[in-house]
Amino acid sequence: MELLGMTGDELSRYCEELGYPAFRGRQIADWLYRKGACEPSAMSNLPAELRERLAAEATISRREVVTESRAADGTTKYLLRLADGETIESVLLPYADRTSVCVSSQVGCAAGCLFCATAECGLVRNLTTGEIVDQVLTLQERGGRRVTHVVFMGMGEPLANLSNVLKAIELLHGEVGISMRRLTVSTVGITPAIRRLAEMDLQLTLAVSLHAPDDGLRRKLIPMAARFPLHDLIRACRDYADRTKRRITFEYLLLAGVNDSQAQAQALARLIKGALCHVNLIPYNRVQGAGKREEWERFDRPSKSAIAAFRAVLEREGIEVTQRMERGHAISGACGQLRRRAGLT
Ligand code: SAH
């Protein structure tokens, strides 16, 4: 039995099956998620025989840290090896007043975004709930700081692994103790999953990667988006915001000469006007290394003045705009630069 990834209730039921009272499950959950125990032997308030039983019958699969690279601003990228040998990346972002962790939700990704390093791998597999939560626990320990924010903006498409991601969110909120509002799920825009999330009425933050104001360009940049036309997607986002009263973040990656014109800013404004939202502009980060995709070579980030002009159009239309803080470039830990080391030259 794998303990990491089980909820307090599941652990209680498991303890009952082993012939122990349910409250032992609660104690195990505290050890796993609050105290970061890696071994049953460390769970000092459990009876010795239960500890032995767990050591014999259960596992706590905390991951191995393969490499840790730290940039001058403190941003630290971790390469973690999973039990089956696959590797994923997670990033710790320490700020003065908070500590964010950017987690992966899949090994690889099927979305195929032309500008993203993860796309090159294709989808290998979904991460389990335990593998997602473990990233936060491991980076919290390594960083020596309590994690206050988690963003699902690492490798993978979280809404394509919805059940494991939702359970990880439940654990991060209920067991690790991170406020729901400080958990952000970023998606290429899988409309039916957004509708399901809306029905659950959670207080988490939803970020939707738009990157283009029209379907033609959007499906070129994000091949998976071809299945989810903007018209339906934006309607689902508006419904989501109405239902949850949570402001949606529309992410907009800026690629020079591709999607950064003032006319495109105008079209974007028309698309989202009136929605409870803000736009987060992300200047393109160049993807390093031997990319197989020639398209990468064609992308560039817009000039500061082009970004400012794009932003001004949105603001004139009454849309709130933020700009992604630039961190982690030197260690290829910036947005879109994460990819598996294994198999790369
Ligand atoms: N699959 C999810 C989450 C992962 S990526 C999603 O697409 O939203 C998190 C954000 O980083 C997305 O908005 C993604 O489009 C953006 N991104 C990917 N590659 C990038 C790059 N090279 N430069 C800047 N942002 C990038």
Side-chain angles (χ1 to χ4, degrees):
M1 183 66 85
E2 173 59 52
L3 301 183
L4 198 69
M6 287 170 79
T7 63
D9 285 347
E10 287 169 344
L11 289 164
S12 296
R13 272 199 299 282
Y14 178 56
C15 285
E16 285 178 327
E17 279 164 26
L18 295 179
Y20 291 88
F23 78 90
R24 295 294 180 198
R26 186 64 261 140
Q27 288 177 315
I28 296 173
D30 279 345
W31 280 108
L32 290 177
Y33 303 116
R34 297 206 183 250
K35 299 178 191 140
C38 302
E39 308 271 351
S41 59
M43 303 181 178
S44 53
N45 58 357
L46 299 184
E49 55 184 57
L50 175 55
R51 276 183 267 157
E52 279 156 28
R53 193 82 191 269
L54 292 176
E57 292 178 21
T59 47
I60 302 172
S61 298
R62 294 292 303 273
R63 313 305 149 188
E64 182 196 342
V65 175
V66 184
T67 57
E68 179 174 338
S69 16
R70 191 184 165 90
D73 63 12
T75 303
T76 311
K77 184 176 73 165
Y78 293 85
L79 182 72
L80 304 176
R81 184 177 291 121
L82 309 175
D84 63 355
E86 293 292 347
T87 52
I88 51 166
E89 292 182 332
S90 322
V91 184
L92 179 80
L93 300 121
Y95 300 87
D97 56 346
R98 64 197 166 101
T99 301
S100 294
V101 166
C102 176
V103 295
S104 295
S105 55
Q106 298 181 312
V107 181
C109 186
C113 301
L114 292 192
F115 43 80
C116 177
T118 304
E120 190 191 6
C121 319
L123 177 64
V124 178
R125 68 170 175 86
N126 283 334
L127 293 186
T128 64
T129 302
E131 286 167 340
I132 296 170
V133 174
D134 179 48
Q135 296 171 59
V136 177
L137 297 175
T138 296
L139 271 57
Q140 179 162 274
E141 269 164 37
R142 290 290 187 124
R145 300 164 61 120
R146 185 151 267 293
V147 171
T148 58
H149 294 69
V150 175
V151 296
F152 285 79
M153 293 187 186
M155 299 163 58
E157 168 49 45
L159 297 193
N161 183 15
L162 190 59
S163 56
N164 292 345
V165 165
L166 283 174
K167 196 168 170 198
I169 284 170
E170 182 187 340
L171 290 172
L172 291 172
H173 171 61
E175 301 290 353
V176 182
I178 301 172
S179 149
M180 196 59 103
R181 290 167 175 252
R182 294 172 170 184
L183 301 174
T184 300
V185 172
S186 176
T187 175
V188 291
I190 299 182
T191 308
I194 292 175
R195 293 204 179 282
R196 268 189 66 191
L197 268 183
E199 277 161 24
M200 299 176 72
D201 201 2
L202 301 172
Q203 284 299 293
L204 54 82
T205 300
L206 184 65
V208 178
S209 298
L210 283 184
H211 306 348
D214 63 273
D215 281 317
L217 177 59
R218 191 160 187 270
R219 67 172 61 124
K220 268 193 215 152
L221 295 174
I222 310 176
M224 192 184 263
R227 287 157 50 200
F228 309 107
L230 271 173
H231 176 73
D232 291 340
L233 171 62
I234 299 296
R235 192 157 51 199
C237 290
R238 288 181 192 272
D239 292 346
Y240 180 94
D242 284 347
R243 172 88 186 240
T244 61
K245 307 282 181 282
R246 296 286 294 147
R247 192 169 71 148
I248 293 204
T249 302
F250 288 118
E251 293 161 284
Y252 196 96
L253 170 69
L254 286 165
L255 302 163
V258 176
N259 66 356
D260 66 336
S261 74
Q262 297 190 37
Q264 284 161 319
Q266 204 55 260
L268 174 64
R270 270 197 303 277
L271 192 64
I272 61 175
K273 205 158 184 185
L276 180 62
C277 71
H278 80 285
V279 171
N280 189 216
L281 296 176
I282 317 173
Y284 169 64
N285 290 311
R286 186 165 275 278
V287 169
Q288 300 289 328
K292 287 186 209 117
R293 292 167 173 264
E294 286 164 29
E295 289 94 331
W296 287 358
E297 303 309 319
R298 297 210 298 264
F299 292 135
D300 234 323
R301 66 166 50 193
S303 65
K304 283 212 170 89
S305 62
I307 298 174
F310 192 94
R311 180 175 184 147
V313 171
L314 295 175
E315 284 174 342
R316 247 196 333 270
E317 295 295 333
I319 293 166
E320 198 182 317
V321 184
T322 52
Q323 201 167 316
R324 176 73 44 92
M325 268 207 246
E326 308 270 13
R327 293 172 66 115
H329 281 282
I331 52 168
S332 296
C335 301
Q337 294 185 323
L338 303 184
R339 64 169 153 178
R340 300 189 304 144
R341 214 43 82 67
L344 297 174
T345 49

